[in-house]
Amino acid sequence: MKTLTDRGIRALKPRPHKTKPGQFVPYRVADSHTPGLHIQVTKTGRWNWTFRYQYGGRQRFLKLGSYPATSIADARRRAVEIMGVVEAGEDPAADRRHILDTPTVDRLLEAVQQSRSRQAARDLAVIQLLLGAGLKLGELTELRLEDVHLDAEPAYLDVRDASGNSGRKVVLEDEVCEALRSYLPVRKAAQGVDHFCVNRDGNALSTRSVQRLLRHYARAAELDGLTTQSLRFVYATRIYESSGDLKVVARYLGHRHLATTIRYLRPGSDE
């Protein structure tokens, strides 16, 4: 065990597989400066920070971000914060939303863009609706063609509430609009189906299908613990960082009470 340095990390290369020539295996190197902190070298040569801890009688690893986007100093600070959570008797893995830094999100989007699936355009639209519009899983699967206004200025969505009525208006950024426009020409819906996102049979995309496709791309991007809620949290954080106004965040998330938004933006909290 040794103290990790920038020079030392950059010298770490993928480790060859012992019995399969041309293939590589991931491995971790511990940081002696901060107990539990490791740098993981993936089989593709990426560097990811992980933190090892004990909870419930089991050894667990929590990913803290990628290097060099997350510096050594930042990784050590995060590791100390997480150890405090563990010492307080809580499991830090119960909420993994903090791992989605910008490089991590970029890797997820890159995995979708590089996919050879016939449904890749739809999948990118789905992920952008979660990440760039902050939709809940049920809101996404209930989104209809008439709810998407790409020709408006600015473009926006009409997001339905639980009763099926228009609940709130969500303005769309250019990157989200681009993904939705790319999907529409290849969208093949069955007769009478007006849901925006459809499956390969042309029927409405189910919540289970959304969760399944997200797991697929998370594996392709070498991400752990990724959920639809994780992407919605990224959206909420971006809105708060750009506006500094919790009321704006509450309006965009569809929260009726500001207390819900305050609680939601705290690590470890849910809606």
Side-chain angles (χ1 to χ4, degrees):
M1 185 183 296
K2 59 183 179 180
T3 300
L4 292 174
T5 63
D6 289 305
R7 182 177 181 180
I9 293 174
R10 293 178 185 278
L12 297 174
K13 304 300 180 184
R15 182 172 292 170
H17 197 287
K18 292 182 179 180
T19 60
K20 299 179 180 179
Q23 296 188 28
F24 301 89
V25 293
Y27 64 96
R28 295 183 177 94
V29 177
D31 178 27
S32 63
H33 182 278
T34 307
L37 182 64
H38 295 71
I39 190 73
Q40 180 189 46
V41 184
T42 72
K43 58 185 179 181
T44 58
R46 291 192 178 103
W47 302 293
N48 293 321
W49 291 108
T50 62
F51 182 75
R52 184 178 65 186
Y53 64 100
Q54 292 281 340
Y55 184 82
R58 295 175 55 191
Q59 177 175 278
R60 306 187 182 195
F61 283 91
L62 188 66
K63 193 173 291 186
L64 307 184
S66 59
Y67 175 87
T70 301
S71 68
I72 295 176
D74 284 342
R76 287 170 176 166
R77 175 181 55 78
R78 293 185 186 184
V80 171
E81 291 174 352
I82 292 172
M83 180 52 69
V85 173
V86 175
E87 292 175 349
E90 300 179 8
D91 183 6
D95 177 33
R96 298 170 179 260
R97 294 176 295 194
H98 64 281
I99 69 171
L100 293 180
D101 53 13
T102 299
T104 304
V105 170
D106 289 345
R107 280 166 51 194
L108 175 64
L109 295 175
E110 182 181 359
V112 185
Q113 292 163 348
Q114 292 181 348
S115 172
R116 296 181 179 179
S117 169
R118 294 181 179 179
Q119 303 296 328
R122 181 209 61 192
D123 296 347
L124 182 59
V126 165
I127 290 177
Q128 284 289 9
L129 285 169
L130 296 166
L131 181 67
L135 299 192
K136 294 181 181 179
L137 182 55
E139 292 172 341
L140 185 149
T141 55
E142 286 302 317
L143 191 69
R144 311 302 173 98
L145 282 172
E146 64 182 5
D147 300 328
V148 182
H149 304 274
L150 295 177
D151 294 330
E153 185 58 45
Y156 68 95
L157 302 178
D158 273 326
V159 182
R160 299 169 184 262
D161 59 20
S163 62
N165 299 317
S166 180
R168 70 183 188 278
K169 177 179 177 179
V170 176
V171 176
L172 301 176
E173 297 182 352
D174 292 343
E175 191 172 6
V176 182
C177 291
E178 182 180 350
L180 302 188
R181 290 193 179 102
S182 296
Y183 164 57
L184 282 173
V186 297
R187 174 185 174 274
K188 296 181 179 180
Q191 186 174 1
V193 175
D194 64 346
H195 289 75
F196 187 80
C197 297
V198 297
N199 59 24
R200 65 183 62 188
D201 297 322
N203 297 313
L205 193 66
S206 68
T207 56
R208 182 171 295 181
S209 293
V210 174
Q211 293 167 331
R212 185 162 50 244
L213 74 85
L214 189 58
R215 286 195 298 269
H216 168 76
Y217 290 113
R219 286 194 298 269
E222 298 180 349
L223 303 177
D224 296 323
L226 191 65
T227 65
T228 56
Q229 190 75 357
S230 302
L231 300 183
R232 178 169 159 87
F233 181 76
V234 171
Y235 173 78
T237 303
R238 287 175 175 172
I239 295 297
Y240 182 66
E241 289 177 348
S242 63
S243 68
D245 190 338
L246 287 170
K247 292 182 179 179
V248 173
V249 181
R251 184 170 69 251
Y252 273 71
L253 293 181
H255 291 163
R256 294 184 178 181
H257 305 290
L258 193 59
T260 303
T261 307
I262 295 173
R263 186 169 61 250
Y264 180 67
L265 288 174
R266 291 174 180 168
S269 299
D270 292 312
E271 293 174 282

